[in-house]
Amino acid sequence: MSKVFDVVCIGTGMSALAFAASRLATHPDTRLLLLEKHRVVGGYATQFVRPKQQARFEVSLHKLSGMGPNGNLRQLLTRLGVFDQLEWIVTDSLFDACHTDRRFVLPKSGDAVEHALLQRFPACAEGLQTVFEEIRSYGYDGYMQFHTVSGDYEPDLKRLRYAHTHLKTQTVWDAVGARIADPYLRELLCLPCMYVGGFPEQLSYLYFLHVWYAVLFAGSAYLRGGANALTAALVQRIRELGGHIETGHEATGILTDASLHAYGVVTDTDTYLANEVVVNAAPRYAMDALIDVELAGLDDARAAIAATPAANSTTTLYLVIDGPPAQFGLTSEETMLVAEHPDEAFEQRKRARQCRKDAAQAERAYWRESSIEVTNYHKLDPQGGNVVIVNALDVIHHWPERKTDEYRSKKARAKEILTARLFNAYPSLRGHVRYVEASSPRTCLRYTGNPEGSGYGALVEPATGRKTTSRRFPIGGVRFVGHWAAGSGYEATMGYGAMLGFQV
């Protein structure tokens, strides 16, 4: 194979695959190479199997937003020619919310969710209507950002200025709290924060509104076969269009000339020359692992990139039940185990952030007190086994190093605490879990190299007026795709990668 290309991509996450397919479809003469250090493509969007347990576990692919008729992700996959090759599962509800002895099913459409919440919480009608008006207006503007860039959508400038001045600067916790008095309803409305790796006190309200719009009004669906099905379809399309993919090749450096312009990539086995380098990894990782530390003039950029806050990671349990989970009461595809006391959970997280290495405090805040998410994969795809996955947002700071007795003990506590919460919500499951495996923020760090083991990219905090890292990188010819550039979620990352690919 030639060692000279127009574009070399470092990493093969979903955003890089979307970029490559889009670039090749739009510019068919492009000589394009994707490099992947692992044996399989897909990055964090992957799955693993445990044959003895007859189980297939998804690592990151859960519900996909933007899958309605006018959804961004559906339009993109259709344009790339892969949508009709895949089997989509549309559910009857958004998720079940379990809070002590109360259960509430959120319908799948935005209008139906608003109506159901108004019926359930009539005393909060005014605040609820305000939130949904903001989702339909400011959230819609945010959701249409790629169309705005391409010139297909023109937002109201007055509304945009108001949003950036008043909503972007607030946390979700403060904004929802100012509109909603009921703590249970507040927590319900804040639950989608988990989809982008943040707690409500960490995220910008304006960013949250576009996440809610994507989930509620742009449609959502699951994918039969999970991440591997989507990866396989995109890989096939890239190869049909003439792209090259090399696995088992770890990038070790980006070649840079004296004018600070990239001209190629060095791997552990070879060197590839290119006019453009696209990085599907965190900017901090690129600076630390791929850029020559001797290069002058990068100190300010290094400092800004190092200061970019990472979103939270997760502690995840992969469970196998000895029968279909629905037999034991877990009938929904997705269930949110809502914090019993949301205000107390907020205070516990605040204390945990103040003492980041206090293991007992962190475990209480993130595992015992905060809301967590449960996906019943058996209902989505019985061929994958009687699989249930439990996700809790977590941080890496209180986790010991891997392969230590302390680490193993902590994983055992995570299994005990999180399964106990599952059993409290579904007592019939007790005694029917025949296999449980745990992953931690250290696991994510090991496989992805993401700062602090974040599976969600940068944390989208409220605007403060200080300078933050932009998508502009100080080395010419280098561009980033993925959730560190676009924000979290398949729809955002793939949409941003494709937008770069379609550009001339």
Side-chain angles (χ1 to χ4, degrees):
M1 185 176 67
S2 170
K3 301 299 188 294
V4 180
F5 293 87
D6 298 306
V7 184
V8 172
C9 298
I10 299 174
T12 61
M14 286 300 179
S15 55
L17 297 180
F19 165 82
S22 303
R23 173 62 66 90
L24 292 166
T26 310
H27 309 284
D29 295 331
T30 301
R31 298 168 299 172
L32 188 145
L33 170 68
L34 295 112
L35 298 170
E36 172 57 54
K37 67 179 180 179
H38 296 298
R39 293 180 294 105
V40 295
V41 300
Y44 194 50
T46 189
Q47 56 187 216
F48 62 96
V49 297
R50 293 291 180 259
K52 291 183 179 180
Q53 306 300 328
Q54 298 179 316
R56 181 180 70 236
F57 296 121
E58 287 290 331
V59 174
S60 75
L61 194 149
H62 303 286
K63 182 166 42 224
L64 297 177
S65 62
M67 297 308 302
N70 298 314
N72 289 337
L73 186 53
R74 178 169 178 166
Q75 291 179 1
L76 170 60
L77 294 176
T78 300
R79 185 175 180 181
L80 295 180
V82 300
F83 178 81
D84 290 334
Q85 299 177 26
L86 301 166
E87 184 179 352
W88 299 98
I89 305 166
V90 179
T91 60
D92 295 330
S93 62
L94 190 62
F95 55 73
D96 283 10
C98 295
H99 178 260
T100 58
D101 59 345
R102 292 187 288 180
R103 296 181 186 269
F104 185 68
V105 179
L106 272 72
K108 64 180 180 181
S109 74
D111 292 340
V113 169
E114 181 182 19
H115 177 75
L117 291 175
L118 287 170
Q119 293 293 312
R120 182 73 175 265
F121 302 94
C124 299
E126 183 178 354
L128 267 171
Q129 290 167 345
T130 298
V131 170
F132 274 83
E133 286 171 6
E134 291 168 338
I135 293 171
R136 290 187 178 94
S137 54
Y138 307 113
Y140 178 70
D141 287 341
Y143 184 76
M144 296 295 287
Q145 60 182 318
F146 298 137
H147 297 276
T148 302
V149 172
S150 65
D152 298 328
Y153 175 72
E154 185 175 349
D156 181 280
L157 293 180
K158 183 178 179 181
R159 189 166 75 188
L160 209 58
R161 282 194 295 270
Y162 177 87
H164 281 258
T165 301
H166 298 284
L167 304 182
K168 192 175 183 179
T169 57
Q170 297 184 62
T171 67
V172 178
W173 180 268
D174 289 339
V176 174
R179 293 155 177 77
I180 304 296
D182 187 296
Y184 174 53
L185 176 56
R186 289 202 314 266
E187 189 71 5
L188 279 180
L189 292 173
C190 291
L191 288 173
C193 289
M194 283 194 277
Y195 295 150
V196 291
F199 291 103
E201 65 272 15
Q202 297 176 300
L203 295 176
S204 163
Y205 184 58
L206 182 60
Y207 179 69
F208 166 82
L209 290 174
H210 111 266
V211 172
W212 248 126
Y213 185 90
V215 172
L216 284 174
F217 293 99
S220 60
Y222 294 87
L223 177 59
R224 185 87 67 189
N228 282 14
L230 182 55
T231 299
L234 288 169
V235 167
Q236 179 181 345
R237 185 63 178 144
I238 289 167
R239 287 178 170 152
E240 289 173 350
L241 294 168
H244 300 274
I245 300 174
E246 291 291 323
T247 58
H249 290 251
E250 181 173 3
T252 57
I254 295 175
L255 296 171
T256 307
D257 61 24
S259 64
L260 290 183
H261 194 283
Y263 65 91
V265 175
V266 178
T267 74
D268 51 359
T269 59
D270 226 323
T271 298
Y272 303 92
L273 303 182
N275 300 321
E276 182 182 357
V277 176
V278 174
V279 182
N280 189 191
R284 195 188 310 177
Y285 175 84
M287 274 296 193
D288 293 344
L290 302 177
I291 303 299
D292 187 349
V293 296
E294 300 298 326
L295 287 175
L298 299 181
D299 290 347
D300 289 346
R302 288 184 188 279
I305 288 170
T308 301
N312 298 281
S313 185
T314 58
T315 291
T316 302
L317 300 189
Y318 302 95
L319 305 167
V320 179
I321 314 303
D322 63 11
Q327 291 183 0
F328 309 105
L330 188 57
T331 57
S332 178
E333 294 85 1
E334 183 178 26
T335 301
M336 297 291 190
L337 304 185
V338 183
E340 185 173 356
H341 303 291
D343 292 341
E344 178 62 22
F346 167 82
E347 292 296 333
Q348 294 300 329
R349 294 193 297 267
K350 182 178 178 180
R351 293 172 192 166
R353 281 189 284 270
Q354 292 170 343
C355 304
R356 299 195 305 177
K357 294 188 177 182
D358 186 331
Q361 179 60 46
E363 291 173 16
R364 178 178 179 181
Y366 302 123
W367 302 351
R368 297 181 187 274
E369 301 285 351
S370 297
S371 298
I372 61 176
E373 186 266 350
V374 179
T375 301
N376 177 2
Y377 275 100
H378 176 266
K379 184 168 183 180
L380 295 166
D381 191 354
Q383 294 183 350
N386 297 319
V387 168
V388 171
I389 295 180
V390 180
N391 279 297
L393 288 186
D394 200 357
V395 296
I396 200 170
H397 312 294
H398 63 104
W399 277 90
E401 293 295 329
R402 295 177 54 252
K403 297 183 178 180
T404 62
D405 290 340
E406 293 82 1
Y407 181 76
R408 287 185 283 270
S409 296
K410 194 174 187 72
K411 286 183 77 172
R413 288 198 301 277
K415 293 177 184 179
E416 179 183 357
I417 293 168
L418 294 175
T419 53
R421 289 192 63 181
L422 181 65
F423 296 155
N424 286 340
Y426 297 95
S428 297
L429 278 172
R430 196 181 301 273
H432 293 282
V433 174
R434 63 179 176 86
Y435 179 81
V436 57
E437 183 173 342
S439 71
S440 75
R442 295 279 178 201
T443 311
C444 185
L445 178 63
R446 174 190 177 194
Y447 284 104
T448 68
N450 286 340
E452 299 178 17
S454 173
Y456 301 90
L459 185 68
V460 185
E461 299 178 304
T464 60
R466 70 175 187 272
K467 289 185 177 181
T468 57
T469 306
S470 70
R471 296 190 182 101
R472 296 180 62 85
F473 198 62
I475 295 176
V478 175
R479 293 204 282 183
F480 286 83
V481 294
H483 47 218
W484 296 92
S488 188
Y490 282 73
E491 188 174 17
T493 57
M494 294 182 70
Y496 182 67
M499 182 184 72
L500 293 184
F502 287 134
Q503 290 175 351
V504 177

PDB file of all heavy atoms in Angstrom, residues 72-84:
ATOM      1  N   ASN A  72     -31.456  14.461  12.786  1.00  0.00           N
ATOM      2  CA  ASN A  72     -30.165  14.667  12.143  1.00  0.00           C
ATOM      3  C   ASN A  72     -29.426  13.369  11.864  1.00  0.00           C
ATOM      4  O   ASN A  72     -28.834  13.188  10.796  1.00  0.00           O
ATOM      5  CB  ASN A  72     -29.282  15.564  13.017  1.00  0.00           C
ATOM      6  CG  ASN A  72     -29.745  16.995  13.044  1.00  0.00           C
ATOM      7  OD1 ASN A  72     -30.442  17.456  12.142  1.00  0.00           O
ATOM      8  ND2 ASN A  72     -29.372  17.731  14.092  1.00  0.00           N
ATOM      9  N   LEU A  73     -29.428  12.441  12.829  1.00  0.00           N
ATOM     10  CA  LEU A  73     -28.660  11.217  12.647  1.00  0.00           C
ATOM     11  C   LEU A  73     -29.283  10.337  11.567  1.00  0.00           C
ATOM     12  O   LEU A  73     -28.571   9.751  10.743  1.00  0.00           O
ATOM     13  CB  LEU A  73     -28.560  10.451  13.968  1.00  0.00           C
ATOM     14  CG  LEU A  73     -27.650   9.213  13.956  1.00  0.00           C
ATOM     15  CD1 LEU A  73     -26.256   9.550  13.426  1.00  0.00           C
ATOM     16  CD2 LEU A  73     -27.573   8.589  15.338  1.00  0.00           C
ATOM     17  N   ARG A  74     -30.585  10.272  11.553  1.00  0.00           N
ATOM     18  CA  ARG A  74     -31.242   9.477  10.506  1.00  0.00           C
ATOM     19  C   ARG A  74     -30.942  10.059   9.122  1.00  0.00           C
ATOM     20  O   ARG A  74     -30.652   9.310   8.171  1.00  0.00           O
ATOM     21  CB  ARG A  74     -32.751   9.433  10.748  1.00  0.00           C
ATOM     22  CG  ARG A  74     -33.517   8.663   9.680  1.00  0.00           C
ATOM     23  CD  ARG A  74     -34.938   8.426  10.076  1.00  0.00           C
ATOM     24  NE  ARG A  74     -35.693   7.730   9.057  1.00  0.00           N
ATOM     25  CZ  ARG A  74     -36.882   7.164   9.264  1.00  0.00           C
ATOM     26  NH1 ARG A  74     -37.418   7.218  10.473  1.00  0.00           N
ATOM     27  NH2 ARG A  74     -37.503   6.541   8.296  1.00  0.00           N
ATOM     28  N   GLN A  75     -31.006  11.367   8.987  1.00  0.00           N
ATOM     29  CA  GLN A  75     -30.708  11.998   7.704  1.00  0.00           C
ATOM     30  C   GLN A  75     -29.270  11.729   7.285  1.00  0.00           C
ATOM     31  O   GLN A  75     -28.986  11.474   6.107  1.00  0.00           O
ATOM     32  CB  GLN A  75     -30.977  13.495   7.788  1.00  0.00           C
ATOM     33  CG  GLN A  75     -32.456  13.855   7.914  1.00  0.00           C
ATOM     34  CD  GLN A  75     -32.676  15.353   8.015  1.00  0.00           C
ATOM     35  OE1 GLN A  75     -31.746  16.141   7.979  1.00  0.00           O
ATOM     36  NE2 GLN A  75     -33.941  15.746   8.145  1.00  0.00           N
ATOM     37  N   LEU A  76     -28.348  11.779   8.249  1.00  0.00           N
ATOM     38  CA  LEU A  76     -26.955  11.529   7.938  1.00  0.00           C
ATOM     39  C   LEU A  76     -26.736  10.091   7.473  1.00  0.00           C
ATOM     40  O   LEU A  76     -26.087   9.846   6.441  1.00  0.00           O
ATOM     41  CB  LEU A  76     -26.087  11.820   9.161  1.00  0.00           C
ATOM     42  CG  LEU A  76     -24.620  11.379   9.064  1.00  0.00           C
ATOM     43  CD1 LEU A  76     -23.929  12.065   7.902  1.00  0.00           C
ATOM     44  CD2 LEU A  76     -23.897  11.630  10.375  1.00  0.00           C
ATOM     45  N   LEU A  77     -27.261   9.117   8.226  1.00  0.00           N
ATOM     46  CA  LEU A  77     -27.065   7.716   7.864  1.00  0.00           C
ATOM     47  C   LEU A  77     -27.720   7.400   6.526  1.00  0.00           C
ATOM     48  O   LEU A  77     -27.216   6.573   5.755  1.00  0.00           O
ATOM     49  CB  LEU A  77     -27.627   6.815   8.967  1.00  0.00           C
ATOM     50  CG  LEU A  77     -26.902   6.904  10.312  1.00  0.00           C
ATOM     51  CD1 LEU A  77     -27.609   6.046  11.358  1.00  0.00           C
ATOM     52  CD2 LEU A  77     -25.442   6.493  10.188  1.00  0.00           C
ATOM     53  N   THR A  78     -28.837   8.063   6.234  1.00  0.00           N
ATOM     54  CA  THR A  78     -29.481   7.893   4.930  1.00  0.00           C
ATOM     55  C   THR A  78     -28.588   8.456   3.826  1.00  0.00           C
ATOM     56  O   THR A  78     -28.395   7.825   2.772  1.00  0.00           O
ATOM     57  CB  THR A  78     -30.850   8.586   4.914  1.00  0.00           C
ATOM     58  OG1 THR A  78     -31.687   8.021   5.927  1.00  0.00           O
ATOM     59  CG2 THR A  78     -31.527   8.425   3.555  1.00  0.00           C
ATOM     60  N   ARG A  79     -28.042   9.624   4.049  1.00  0.00           N
ATOM     61  CA  ARG A  79     -27.160  10.246   3.055  1.00  0.00           C
ATOM     62  C   ARG A  79     -25.916   9.400   2.803  1.00  0.00           C
ATOM     63  O   ARG A  79     -25.410   9.332   1.676  1.00  0.00           O
ATOM     64  CB  ARG A  79     -26.756  11.646   3.520  1.00  0.00           C
ATOM     65  CG  ARG A  79     -25.945  12.437   2.505  1.00  0.00           C
ATOM     66  CD  ARG A  79     -25.688  13.852   2.983  1.00  0.00           C
ATOM     67  NE  ARG A  79     -24.914  14.607   2.009  1.00  0.00           N
ATOM     68  CZ  ARG A  79     -24.521  15.854   2.171  1.00  0.00           C
ATOM     69  NH1 ARG A  79     -24.836  16.516   3.289  1.00  0.00           N
ATOM     70  NH2 ARG A  79     -23.797  16.465   1.238  1.00  0.00           N
ATOM     71  N   LEU A  80     -25.431   8.728   3.844  1.00  0.00           N
ATOM     72  CA  LEU A  80     -24.258   7.870   3.695  1.00  0.00           C
ATOM     73  C   LEU A  80     -24.593   6.502   3.118  1.00  0.00           C
ATOM     74  O   LEU A  80     -23.690   5.707   2.841  1.00  0.00           O
ATOM     75  CB  LEU A  80     -23.555   7.697   5.043  1.00  0.00           C
ATOM     76  CG  LEU A  80     -22.948   8.953   5.656  1.00  0.00           C
ATOM     77  CD1 LEU A  80     -22.288   8.639   6.990  1.00  0.00           C
ATOM     78  CD2 LEU A  80     -21.936   9.589   4.704  1.00  0.00           C
ATOM     79  N   GLY A  81     -25.883   6.213   2.968  1.00  0.00           N
ATOM     80  CA  GLY A  81     -26.295   4.969   2.349  1.00  0.00           C
ATOM     81  C   GLY A  81     -26.275   3.760   3.249  1.00  0.00           C
ATOM     82  O   GLY A  81     -26.213   2.621   2.766  1.00  0.00           O
ATOM     83  N   VAL A  82     -26.351   3.961   4.574  1.00  0.00           N
ATOM     84  CA  VAL A  82     -26.301   2.820   5.483  1.00  0.00           C
ATOM     85  C   VAL A  82     -27.576   2.653   6.314  1.00  0.00           C
ATOM     86  O   VAL A  82     -27.757   1.620   6.957  1.00  0.00           O
ATOM     87  CB  VAL A  82     -25.082   2.918   6.431  1.00  0.00           C
ATOM     88  CG1 VAL A  82     -23.788   2.935   5.642  1.00  0.00           C
ATOM     89  CG2 VAL A  82     -25.183   4.129   7.342  1.00  0.00           C
ATOM     90  N   PHE A  83     -28.457   3.658   6.324  1.00  0.00           N
ATOM     91  CA  PHE A  83     -29.626   3.582   7.203  1.00  0.00           C
ATOM     92  C   PHE A  83     -30.472   2.350   6.911  1.00  0.00           C
ATOM     93  O   PHE A  83     -30.874   1.624   7.831  1.00  0.00           O
ATOM     94  CB  PHE A  83     -30.479   4.844   7.062  1.00  0.00           C
ATOM     95  CG  PHE A  83     -31.730   4.832   7.902  1.00  0.00           C
ATOM     96  CD1 PHE A  83     -31.675   5.153   9.249  1.00  0.00           C
ATOM     97  CD2 PHE A  83     -32.954   4.458   7.361  1.00  0.00           C
ATOM     98  CE1 PHE A  83     -32.816   5.123  10.039  1.00  0.00           C
ATOM     99  CE2 PHE A  83     -34.098   4.427   8.137  1.00  0.00           C
ATOM    100  CZ  PHE A  83     -34.033   4.758   9.488  1.00  0.00           C
ATOM    101  N   ASP A  84     -30.760   2.083   5.642  1.00  0.00           N
ATOM    102  CA  ASP A  84     -31.646   0.974   5.283  1.00  0.00           C
ATOM    103  C   ASP A  84     -30.972  -0.386   5.443  1.00  0.00           C
ATOM    104  O   ASP A  84     -31.654  -1.416   5.366  1.00  0.00           O
ATOM    105  CB  ASP A  84     -32.140   1.144   3.844  1.00  0.00           C
ATOM    106  CG  ASP A  84     -33.110   2.312   3.702  1.00  0.00           C
ATOM    107  OD1 ASP A  84     -33.768   2.649   4.700  1.00  0.00           O
ATOM    108  OD2 ASP A  84     -33.192   2.883   2.601  1.00  0.00           O
TER     109      ASP A  84
END
